[in-house]
Amino acid sequence: MKKTPLYESHLQAKGKIVDFCGWALPIEYAGISAEHQAVRNRAGMFDVSHMGEYFVEGKDAEAFVQHLITNDITKIGDGRIQYSPMCYPNGGTVDDLLIYRFSPEKFLIVVNASNCEKDGEWFEKNRFGEIAIRNASDATAQLAIQGPKAQAVLQKLAAEDLAEIKFFRFRDDFELAGTKVLISRSGYTGEDGFEIYFDPTAAPKLWAAILEAGKDDGLEPAALGARDLLRFEACLPLYGQEIAETISPLTAGLDRFVNFDCGDFIGRDALLREKTDGSPRQLIAFEMKDRAVPRSHYPILAADGRKLGEVTHGTFSPGLQKSIGLGYVEPGALAVGDPLAIEIRGKTWPGSVVVKPFYNKQYKK
């Protein structure tokens, strides 16, 4: 397994190490529920150095990125971030990306760890014009500090006012605890927070400095288990579950990130057909009537017992104090408020369809 530059720090913090996409990463420290509550109520810090980073630079960088993605990169200004799916010609999802726009001639594309090599091959396969593509993944460490007290914690170490960085915006060459970083107001938890990118050699020092700065604010190290629970409550998609090479962004309910007016991007024709003909599946959110926990691939049943689809992911939410799940069913089969049942080891358990997301914290920064 590959190790991030914070592997020893995780061991010192008594992190329980697991294999995640070929990386040795902690699944928990003090416990998933405790780390979840720390992020929701105070602040948590995640090592996400396993994520992939690619720089695209050159005269045709903007045109190239625009051709790859379903969103419209020309609609955002320099210093801003855009979320976008990236599709195959058949409309299936290659990956979902965060794109940092420095200028029309320079972009940073952040990719999922499980897709890093595949995405790089896709970039090269579809490259054109005067561009340079650089895989900076091994030369980049990444931390995510998330939660209502994230700004207060980091401000103690920052040379400039973090309040000036608005949501989905970033600053390059920012100084944090004496380390030069790229810092963005973004995250994968449904909370306010920041993601920082920097030289891996500075990782242990910066990790320790942030933990020390966050002592009085209740900052805790948080790991993969809490991160997945937090993103799931906020209904942020995970590649391999809600989106995949066989699932289009339209099927996944990501319509707002598909812009048909931004040129001939890869997958446009297939997505237009799906928009006209309708998606083959419908993504629903549901909650259980008791604490029975739905898991991936458990059958989703109608009230009369007919199978409608399968669960993509489910869990017990310590914050909501109920079992929740997402799943794909036949299009139009269920609406918000409708009853359903989940088959768990041969027994059916009742639930009902609810509005997405399960958790939505409104904040303005």
Side-chain angles (χ1 to χ4, degrees), residues 247-300:
I247 303 173
S248 81
L250 297 184
T251 300
L254 300 174
D255 311 51
R256 65 190 182 281
F257 303 112
V258 179
N259 190 323
F260 290 107
D261 298 323
C262 62
D264 187 24
F265 60 83
I266 300 171
R268 183 177 186 274
D269 291 344
L271 294 175
L272 270 175
R273 287 193 298 272
E274 182 176 336
K275 183 180 180 181
T276 300
D277 300 339
S279 298
R281 289 173 280 183
Q282 172 191 359
L283 183 64
I284 62 163
F286 61 90
E287 61 183 35
M288 305 300 291
K289 298 299 184 185
D290 49 46
R291 292 173 71 98
V293 179
R295 299 296 187 192
S296 297
H297 305 301
Y298 284 3
I300 300 174

CSV table of all heavy atoms in Angstrom, one decimal, residues 247-300:
chain,number,residue,atom,x,y,z
A,247,ILE,N,-23.3,5.0,-15.0
A,247,ILE,CA,-24.3,5.9,-14.5
A,247,ILE,C,-24.0,7.3,-14.9
A,247,ILE,O,-22.9,7.8,-14.6
A,247,ILE,CB,-24.4,5.9,-12.9
A,247,ILE,CG1,-24.7,4.4,-12.4
A,247,ILE,CG2,-25.5,6.8,-12.4
A,247,ILE,CD1,-24.7,4.3,-10.9
A,248,SER,N,-24.9,7.9,-15.7
A,248,SER,CA,-24.6,9.3,-16.2
A,248,SER,C,-24.9,10.3,-15.1
A,248,SER,O,-25.6,10.0,-14.1
A,248,SER,CB,-25.5,9.6,-17.4
A,248,SER,OG,-26.8,9.9,-16.9
A,249,PRO,N,-24.4,11.5,-15.2
A,249,PRO,CA,-24.7,12.6,-14.2
A,249,PRO,C,-26.2,12.9,-14.2
A,249,PRO,O,-26.7,13.3,-13.2
A,249,PRO,CB,-23.8,13.8,-14.7
A,249,PRO,CG,-23.4,13.4,-16.1
A,249,PRO,CD,-23.4,12.0,-16.2
A,250,LEU,N,-26.9,12.8,-15.3
A,250,LEU,CA,-28.3,13.0,-15.3
A,250,LEU,C,-29.1,12.0,-14.5
A,250,LEU,O,-30.0,12.3,-13.7
A,250,LEU,CB,-28.9,13.0,-16.8
A,250,LEU,CG,-28.3,14.1,-17.7
A,250,LEU,CD1,-29.0,14.0,-19.1
A,250,LEU,CD2,-28.5,15.5,-17.1
A,251,THR,N,-28.7,10.7,-14.7
A,251,THR,CA,-29.3,9.7,-13.9
A,251,THR,C,-29.1,9.9,-12.4
A,251,THR,O,-29.9,9.6,-11.5
A,251,THR,CB,-28.8,8.3,-14.3
A,251,THR,OG1,-29.0,8.1,-15.7
A,251,THR,CG2,-29.4,7.2,-13.5
A,252,ALA,N,-27.9,10.4,-12.1
A,252,ALA,CA,-27.5,10.6,-10.7
A,252,ALA,C,-28.1,11.9,-10.1
A,252,ALA,O,-27.8,12.3,-8.9
A,252,ALA,CB,-26.0,10.7,-10.6
A,253,GLY,N,-28.9,12.6,-10.9
A,253,GLY,CA,-29.5,13.8,-10.4
A,253,GLY,C,-28.6,15.0,-10.4
A,253,GLY,O,-28.8,16.0,-9.6
A,254,LEU,N,-27.5,15.0,-11.2
A,254,LEU,CA,-26.6,16.1,-11.2
A,254,LEU,C,-26.8,17.0,-12.4
A,254,LEU,O,-25.9,17.6,-13.0
A,254,LEU,CB,-25.1,15.5,-11.3
A,254,LEU,CG,-24.7,14.7,-10.1
A,254,LEU,CD1,-23.4,14.0,-10.3
A,254,LEU,CD2,-24.8,15.5,-8.8
A,255,ASP,N,-28.1,17.2,-12.8
A,255,ASP,CA,-28.5,18.0,-14.0
A,255,ASP,C,-27.9,19.4,-14.0
A,255,ASP,O,-27.5,19.9,-15.0
A,255,ASP,CB,-30.0,18.1,-14.1
A,255,ASP,CG,-30.7,16.8,-13.9
A,255,ASP,OD1,-30.5,16.1,-12.9
A,255,ASP,OD2,-31.6,16.5,-14.7
A,256,ARG,N,-27.8,20.0,-12.8
A,256,ARG,CA,-27.3,21.4,-12.7
A,256,ARG,C,-25.9,21.5,-13.1
A,256,ARG,O,-25.4,22.6,-13.2
A,256,ARG,CB,-27.6,22.0,-11.3
A,256,ARG,CG,-26.9,21.3,-10.2
A,256,ARG,CD,-27.4,21.8,-8.8
A,256,ARG,NE,-26.7,21.2,-7.7
A,256,ARG,CZ,-26.9,20.0,-7.2
A,256,ARG,NH1,-27.8,19.2,-7.8
A,256,ARG,NH2,-26.3,19.6,-6.1
A,257,PHE,N,-25.2,20.4,-13.2
A,257,PHE,CA,-23.8,20.4,-13.5
A,257,PHE,C,-23.5,20.0,-15.0
A,257,PHE,O,-22.4,19.7,-15.4
A,257,PHE,CB,-22.9,19.6,-12.6
A,257,PHE,CG,-23.1,19.9,-11.1
A,257,PHE,CD1,-23.7,19.1,-10.2
A,257,PHE,CD2,-22.6,21.2,-10.7
A,257,PHE,CE1,-23.9,19.5,-8.9
A,257,PHE,CE2,-22.8,21.5,-9.4
A,257,PHE,CZ,-23.4,20.7,-8.5
A,258,VAL,N,-24.6,19.9,-15.7
A,258,VAL,CA,-24.6,19.6,-17.2
A,258,VAL,C,-25.1,20.8,-18.0
A,258,VAL,O,-26.3,21.1,-17.9
A,258,VAL,CB,-25.4,18.3,-17.5
A,258,VAL,CG1,-25.3,18.0,-19.0
A,258,VAL,CG2,-24.9,17.1,-16.7
A,259,ASN,N,-24.2,21.4,-18.7
A,259,ASN,CA,-24.6,22.6,-19.4
A,259,ASN,C,-24.5,22.3,-20.9
A,259,ASN,O,-23.4,22.2,-21.5
A,259,ASN,CB,-23.7,23.8,-19.1
A,259,ASN,CG,-24.1,25.1,-19.6
A,259,ASN,OD1,-24.6,25.2,-20.7
A,259,ASN,ND2,-23.9,26.1,-18.8
A,260,PHE,N,-25.6,22.2,-21.6
A,260,PHE,CA,-25.6,21.8,-23.0
A,260,PHE,C,-25.3,23.0,-23.9
A,260,PHE,O,-25.2,22.8,-25.1
A,260,PHE,CB,-27.0,21.3,-23.4
A,260,PHE,CG,-27.3,19.9,-22.8
A,260,PHE,CD1,-28.2,19.8,-21.7
A,260,PHE,CD2,-26.7,18.8,-23.3
A,260,PHE,CE1,-28.5,18.5,-21.2
A,260,PHE,CE2,-26.9,17.5,-22.7
A,260,PHE,CZ,-27.8,17.4,-21.7
A,261,ASP,N,-25.1,24.2,-23.3
A,261,ASP,CA,-24.8,25.4,-24.1
A,261,ASP,C,-23.3,25.7,-24.2
A,261,ASP,O,-23.0,26.8,-24.6
A,261,ASP,CB,-25.6,26.6,-23.6
A,261,ASP,CG,-27.1,26.4,-23.7
A,261,ASP,OD1,-27.6,25.8,-24.7
A,261,ASP,OD2,-27.8,26.8,-22.7
A,262,CYS,N,-22.5,24.8,-23.7
A,262,CYS,CA,-21.1,25.1,-23.6
A,262,CYS,C,-20.2,24.4,-24.6
A,262,CYS,O,-19.0,24.1,-24.4
A,262,CYS,CB,-20.6,24.9,-22.2
A,262,CYS,SG,-20.7,23.1,-21.6
A,263,GLY,N,-20.8,24.0,-25.7
A,263,GLY,CA,-20.0,23.4,-26.8
A,263,GLY,C,-20.1,21.9,-26.9
A,263,GLY,O,-20.9,21.3,-26.1
A,264,ASP,N,-19.3,21.3,-27.7
A,264,ASP,CA,-19.4,19.9,-28.0
A,264,ASP,C,-18.5,19.1,-27.0
A,264,ASP,O,-17.5,18.5,-27.4
A,264,ASP,CB,-19.0,19.6,-29.4
A,264,ASP,CG,-19.2,18.2,-29.8
A,264,ASP,OD1,-20.1,17.5,-29.2
A,264,ASP,OD2,-18.6,17.7,-30.7
A,265,PHE,N,-18.9,19.0,-25.7
A,265,PHE,CA,-18.1,18.2,-24.8
A,265,PHE,C,-18.4,16.7,-25.0
A,265,PHE,O,-19.4,16.3,-25.6
A,265,PHE,CB,-18.5,18.7,-23.3
A,265,PHE,CG,-19.9,18.5,-23.0
A,265,PHE,CD1,-20.4,17.2,-22.5
A,265,PHE,CD2,-20.8,19.5,-23.0
A,265,PHE,CE1,-21.7,17.1,-22.2
A,265,PHE,CE2,-22.1,19.4,-22.6
A,265,PHE,CZ,-22.6,18.2,-22.2
A,266,ILE,N,-17.4,15.9,-24.5
A,266,ILE,CA,-17.5,14.5,-24.6
A,266,ILE,C,-18.8,14.0,-23.9
A,266,ILE,O,-18.9,14.3,-22.7
A,266,ILE,CB,-16.3,13.8,-24.1
A,266,ILE,CG1,-15.0,14.3,-24.8
A,266,ILE,CG2,-16.4,12.3,-24.2
A,266,ILE,CD1,-13.7,13.8,-24.2
A,267,GLY,N,-19.6,13.2,-24.5
A,267,GLY,CA,-20.8,12.7,-24.0
A,267,GLY,C,-22.1,13.5,-24.2
A,267,GLY,O,-23.2,13.1,-23.8
A,268,ARG,N,-21.9,14.7,-24.8
A,268,ARG,CA,-23.0,15.6,-25.0
A,268,ARG,C,-24.2,14.9,-25.7
A,268,ARG,O,-25.4,15.1,-25.3
A,268,ARG,CB,-22.6,16.8,-25.7
A,268,ARG,CG,-23.7,17.9,-25.9
A,268,ARG,CD,-23.1,19.2,-26.6
A,268,ARG,NE,-24.1,20.2,-26.6
A,268,ARG,CZ,-25.0,20.4,-27.5
A,268,ARG,NH1,-25.1,19.5,-28.5
A,268,ARG,NH2,-25.9,21.4,-27.4
A,269,ASP,N,-23.9,14.3,-26.8
A,269,ASP,CA,-25.0,13.7,-27.6
A,269,ASP,C,-25.8,12.6,-26.8
A,269,ASP,O,-27.0,12.6,-26.8
A,269,ASP,CB,-24.5,13.0,-28.9
A,269,ASP,CG,-24.0,14.1,-29.9
A,269,ASP,OD1,-24.3,15.3,-29.7
A,269,ASP,OD2,-23.2,13.7,-30.8
A,270,ALA,N,-25.1,11.8,-26.1
A,270,ALA,CA,-25.7,10.7,-25.3
A,270,ALA,C,-26.6,11.4,-24.2
A,270,ALA,O,-27.7,10.9,-23.9
A,270,ALA,CB,-24.7,9.8,-24.7
A,271,LEU,N,-26.1,12.4,-23.5
A,271,LEU,CA,-26.8,13.1,-22.5
A,271,LEU,C,-28.0,13.8,-23.0
A,271,LEU,O,-29.1,13.8,-22.3
A,271,LEU,CB,-25.9,14.0,-21.7
A,271,LEU,CG,-24.7,13.3,-20.9
A,271,LEU,CD1,-23.8,14.4,-20.3
A,271,LEU,CD2,-25.3,12.4,-19.8
A,272,LEU,N,-27.9,14.3,-24.2
A,272,LEU,CA,-29.1,15.0,-24.8
A,272,LEU,C,-30.2,14.0,-25.1
A,272,LEU,O,-31.4,14.2,-24.9
A,272,LEU,CB,-28.7,15.7,-26.1
A,272,LEU,CG,-28.2,17.1,-26.0
A,272,LEU,CD1,-27.8,17.6,-27.4
A,272,LEU,CD2,-29.4,18.0,-25.5
A,273,ARG,N,-29.8,12.8,-25.5
A,273,ARG,CA,-30.8,11.7,-25.8
A,273,ARG,C,-31.5,11.3,-24.5
A,273,ARG,O,-32.7,11.1,-24.4
A,273,ARG,CB,-30.1,10.5,-26.4
A,273,ARG,CG,-29.8,10.7,-27.9
A,273,ARG,CD,-29.4,9.4,-28.6
A,273,ARG,NE,-28.2,8.8,-28.0
A,273,ARG,CZ,-27.0,9.0,-28.4
A,273,ARG,NH1,-26.8,9.9,-29.4
A,273,ARG,NH2,-26.0,8.4,-27.8
A,274,GLU,N,-30.6,11.2,-23.4
A,274,GLU,CA,-31.2,10.8,-22.1
A,274,GLU,C,-32.1,11.9,-21.6
A,274,GLU,O,-33.2,11.6,-21.0
A,274,GLU,CB,-30.1,10.6,-21.1
A,274,GLU,CG,-30.6,10.1,-19.7
A,274,GLU,CD,-29.5,9.8,-18.7
A,274,GLU,OE1,-28.4,9.5,-19.2
A,274,GLU,OE2,-29.8,9.9,-17.5
A,275,LYS,N,-31.8,13.2,-21.8
A,275,LYS,CA,-32.6,14.3,-21.4
A,275,LYS,C,-34.0,14.2,-22.1
A,275,LYS,O,-35.0,14.5,-21.5
A,275,LYS,CB,-32.0,15.6,-21.6
A,275,LYS,CG,-32.8,16.8,-21.1
A,275,LYS,CD,-32.0,18.1,-21.4
A,275,LYS,CE,-32.8,19.3,-20.9
A,275,LYS,NZ,-32.2,20.6,-21.2
A,276,THR,N,-34.0,13.8,-23.3
A,276,THR,CA,-35.2,13.7,-24.1
A,276,THR,C,-36.0,12.5,-23.8
A,276,THR,O,-37.2,12.5,-23.6
A,276,THR,CB,-34.9,13.7,-25.6
A,276,THR,OG1,-34.2,15.0,-26.0
A,276,THR,CG2,-36.1,13.7,-26.5
A,277,ASP,N,-35.3,11.4,-23.7
A,277,ASP,CA,-36.0,10.1,-23.6
A,277,ASP,C,-36.3,9.7,-22.1
A,277,ASP,O,-37.1,8.9,-21.8
A,277,ASP,CB,-35.2,8.9,-24.2
A,277,ASP,CG,-35.0,9.2,-25.7
A,277,ASP,OD1,-35.8,9.9,-26.3
A,277,ASP,OD2,-34.0,8.6,-26.2
A,278,GLY,N,-35.5,10.3,-21.2
A,278,GLY,CA,-35.7,10.0,-19.8
A,278,GLY,C,-34.6,9.1,-19.3
A,278,GLY,O,-34.1,8.3,-20.1
A,279,SER,N,-34.2,9.2,-18.0
A,279,SER,CA,-33.2,8.3,-17.5
A,279,SER,C,-33.7,6.9,-17.2
A,279,SER,O,-34.9,6.7,-16.9
A,279,SER,CB,-32.6,9.0,-16.2
A,279,SER,OG,-32.1,10.2,-16.4
A,280,PRO,N,-32.8,5.9,-17.3
A,280,PRO,CA,-33.2,4.5,-17.1
A,280,PRO,C,-33.5,4.2,-15.6
A,280,PRO,O,-34.1,3.2,-15.3
A,280,PRO,CB,-32.1,3.7,-17.6
A,280,PRO,CG,-30.9,4.6,-17.5
A,280,PRO,CD,-31.4,6.0,-17.7
A,281,ARG,N,-32.9,5.0,-14.7
A,281,ARG,CA,-33.1,4.8,-13.3
A,281,ARG,C,-33.3,6.1,-12.5
A,281,ARG,O,-33.1,7.2,-13.1
A,281,ARG,CB,-31.8,4.1,-12.7
A,281,ARG,CG,-31.7,2.7,-13.1
A,281,ARG,CD,-30.3,2.2,-12.6
A,281,ARG,NE,-29.2,2.6,-13.5
A,281,ARG,CZ,-28.0,2.2,-13.3
A,281,ARG,NH1,-27.6,1.4,-12.3
A,281,ARG,NH2,-27.0,2.6,-14.2
A,282,GLN,N,-33.9,6.0,-11.3
A,282,GLN,CA,-34.1,7.2,-10.5
A,282,GLN,C,-33.5,7.1,-9.2
A,282,GLN,O,-33.6,6.0,-8.5
A,282,GLN,CB,-35.7,7.4,-10.3
A,282,GLN,CG,-36.1,8.4,-9.3
A,282,GLN,CD,-37.6,8.3,-9.0
A,282,GLN,OE1,-38.3,7.5,-9.5
A,282,GLN,NE2,-38.0,9.2,-8.1
A,283,LEU,N,-32.7,8.1,-8.8
A,283,LEU,CA,-32.0,8.0,-7.5
A,283,LEU,C,-32.9,8.6,-6.4
A,283,LEU,O,-33.5,9.7,-6.5
A,283,LEU,CB,-30.7,8.9,-7.5
A,283,LEU,CG,-29.9,8.9,-6.3
A,283,LEU,CD1,-29.3,7.5,-6.0
A,283,LEU,CD2,-28.7,9.9,-6.4
A,284,ILE,N,-33.2,7.8,-5.4
A,284,ILE,CA,-34.0,8.3,-4.3
A,284,ILE,C,-33.3,8.2,-2.9
A,284,ILE,O,-32.3,7.5,-2.8
A,284,ILE,CB,-35.3,7.4,-4.1
A,284,ILE,CG1,-34.9,5.9,-3.8
A,284,ILE,CG2,-36.2,7.4,-5.4
A,284,ILE,CD1,-36.0,5.1,-3.3
A,285,ALA,N,-33.7,9.1,-2.0
A,285,ALA,CA,-33.3,9.0,-0.6
A,285,ALA,C,-34.4,8.5,0.2
A,285,ALA,O,-35.6,8.7,0.0
A,285,ALA,CB,-32.9,10.4,-0.2
A,286,PHE,N,-34.0,7.7,1.2
A,286,PHE,CA,-35.1,7.2,2.1
A,286,PHE,C,-34.6,7.0,3.5
A,286,PHE,O,-33.4,7.1,3.8
A,286,PHE,CB,-35.5,5.8,1.6
A,286,PHE,CG,-34.5,4.7,1.5
A,286,PHE,CD1,-34.2,3.9,2.6
A,286,PHE,CD2,-33.7,4.6,0.4
A,286,PHE,CE1,-33.2,2.9,2.6
A,286,PHE,CE2,-32.7,3.6,0.3
A,286,PHE,CZ,-32.4,2.8,1.4
A,287,GLU,N,-35.5,6.9,4.4
A,287,GLU,CA,-35.2,6.7,5.8
A,287,GLU,C,-36.0,5.5,6.3
A,287,GLU,O,-37.1,5.2,5.8
A,287,GLU,CB,-35.4,7.9,6.7
A,287,GLU,CG,-36.9,8.3,6.7
A,287,GLU,CD,-37.1,9.6,7.6
A,287,GLU,OE1,-36.2,10.5,7.6
A,287,GLU,OE2,-38.2,9.7,8.2
A,288,MET,N,-35.4,4.8,7.3
A,288,MET,CA,-36.0,3.6,7.8
A,288,MET,C,-36.9,3.9,9.0
A,288,MET,O,-36.7,5.0,9.7
A,288,MET,CB,-35.0,2.6,8.2
A,288,MET,CG,-34.0,2.2,7.1
A,288,MET,SD,-34.8,1.5,5.7
A,288,MET,CE,-35.3,-0.1,6.4
A,289,LYS,N,-37.9,3.1,9.3
A,289,LYS,CA,-38.8,3.4,10.4
A,289,LYS,C,-38.2,2.9,11.7
A,289,LYS,O,-38.7,3.3,12.8
A,289,LYS,CB,-40.1,2.6,10.2
A,289,LYS,CG,-40.9,3.0,8.9
A,289,LYS,CD,-41.3,4.5,9.0
A,289,LYS,CE,-42.1,4.9,7.8
A,289,LYS,NZ,-42.4,6.3,7.8
A,290,ASP,N,-37.2,2.1,11.6
A,290,ASP,CA,-36.5,1.7,12.8
A,290,ASP,C,-35.0,1.7,12.6
A,290,ASP,O,-34.5,2.3,11.6
A,290,ASP,CB,-36.9,0.3,13.3
A,290,ASP,CG,-36.9,-0.7,12.1
A,290,ASP,OD1,-35.9,-0.7,11.4
A,290,ASP,OD2,-37.9,-1.4,12.0
A,291,ARG,N,-34.2,1.0,13.4
A,291,ARG,CA,-32.7,1.1,13.3
A,291,ARG,C,-32.1,0.1,12.3
A,291,ARG,O,-30.9,0.0,12.2
A,291,ARG,CB,-32.1,1.0,14.7
A,291,ARG,CG,-32.4,2.2,15.6
A,291,ARG,CD,-31.9,2.0,17.0
A,291,ARG,NE,-30.4,2.0,17.0
A,291,ARG,CZ,-29.7,3.1,17.4
A,291,ARG,NH1,-30.3,4.2,17.7
A,291,ARG,NH2,-28.4,3.1,17.5
A,292,ALA,N,-32.9,-0.7,11.6
A,292,ALA,CA,-32.4,-1.6,10.6
A,292,ALA,C,-31.6,-0.8,9.6
A,292,ALA,O,-32.0,0.2,9.1
A,292,ALA,CB,-33.5,-2.3,9.9
A,293,VAL,N,-30.3,-1.3,9.3
A,293,VAL,CA,-29.4,-0.5,8.5
A,293,VAL,C,-29.4,-1.0,7.1
A,293,VAL,O,-29.0,-2.2,6.8
A,293,VAL,CB,-28.0,-0.5,9.1
A,293,VAL,CG1,-27.0,0.3,8.2
A,293,VAL,CG2,-28.0,0.1,10.5
A,294,PRO,N,-29.7,-0.2,6.1
A,294,PRO,CA,-29.6,-0.7,4.7
A,294,PRO,C,-28.2,-0.7,4.2
A,294,PRO,O,-27.4,0.2,4.6
A,294,PRO,CB,-30.5,0.3,3.9
A,294,PRO,CG,-30.4,1.6,4.7
A,294,PRO,CD,-30.3,1.1,6.2
A,295,ARG,N,-27.8,-1.6,3.4
A,295,ARG,CA,-26.5,-1.7,2.9
A,295,ARG,C,-26.5,-1.8,1.3
A,295,ARG,O,-27.5,-2.1,0.7
A,295,ARG,CB,-25.7,-2.9,3.4
A,295,ARG,CG,-25.6,-2.9,4.9
A,295,ARG,CD,-24.7,-1.8,5.5
A,295,ARG,NE,-24.5,-1.9,6.9
A,295,ARG,CZ,-24.0,-0.9,7.6
A,295,ARG,NH1,-23.7,0.3,7.1
A,295,ARG,NH2,-23.8,-1.1,8.9
A,296,SER,N,-25.3,-1.6,0.7
A,296,SER,CA,-25.2,-1.6,-0.7
A,296,SER,C,-25.8,-2.9,-1.3
A,296,SER,O,-25.5,-4.0,-0.7
A,296,SER,CB,-23.8,-1.4,-1.2
A,296,SER,OG,-23.3,-0.2,-0.8
A,297,HIS,N,-26.5,-2.8,-2.4
A,297,HIS,CA,-27.1,-3.9,-3.1
A,297,HIS,C,-28.3,-4.6,-2.4
A,297,HIS,O,-28.9,-5.5,-3.0
A,297,HIS,CB,-26.1,-5.0,-3.5
A,297,HIS,CG,-24.9,-4.4,-4.2
A,297,HIS,ND1,-25.0,-3.8,-5.4
A,297,HIS,CD2,-23.6,-4.4,-3.9
A,297,HIS,CE1,-23.8,-3.4,-5.8
A,297,HIS,NE2,-22.9,-3.7,-4.9
A,298,TYR,N,-28.7,-4.1,-1.3
A,298,TYR,CA,-30.0,-4.7,-0.7
A,298,TYR,C,-31.1,-4.3,-1.6
A,298,TYR,O,-31.2,-3.1,-2.1
A,298,TYR,CB,-30.2,-4.1,0.7
A,298,TYR,CG,-29.4,-4.7,1.8
A,298,TYR,CD1,-28.4,-5.7,1.5
A,298,TYR,CD2,-29.5,-4.3,3.1
A,298,TYR,CE1,-27.6,-6.2,2.5
A,298,TYR,CE2,-28.8,-4.9,4.2
A,298,TYR,CZ,-27.8,-5.8,3.9
A,298,TYR,OH,-27.0,-6.3,4.9
A,299,PRO,N,-32.1,-5.2,-1.8
A,299,PRO,CA,-33.2,-4.9,-2.7
A,299,PRO,C,-34.1,-3.8,-2.1
A,299,PRO,O,-34.4,-3.8,-0.9
A,299,PRO,CB,-34.0,-6.2,-2.8
A,299,PRO,CG,-33.0,-7.2,-2.4
A,299,PRO,CD,-32.1,-6.6,-1.4
A,300,ILE,N,-34.6,-2.9,-3.0
A,300,ILE,CA,-35.6,-1.9,-2.6
A,300,ILE,C,-36.9,-2.4,-3.1
A,300,ILE,O,-37.1,-2.7,-4.3
A,300,ILE,CB,-35.3,-0.5,-3.2
A,300,ILE,CG1,-33.9,0.0,-2.6
A,300,ILE,CG2,-36.4,0.5,-2.8
A,300,ILE,CD1,-33.5,1.3,-3.3
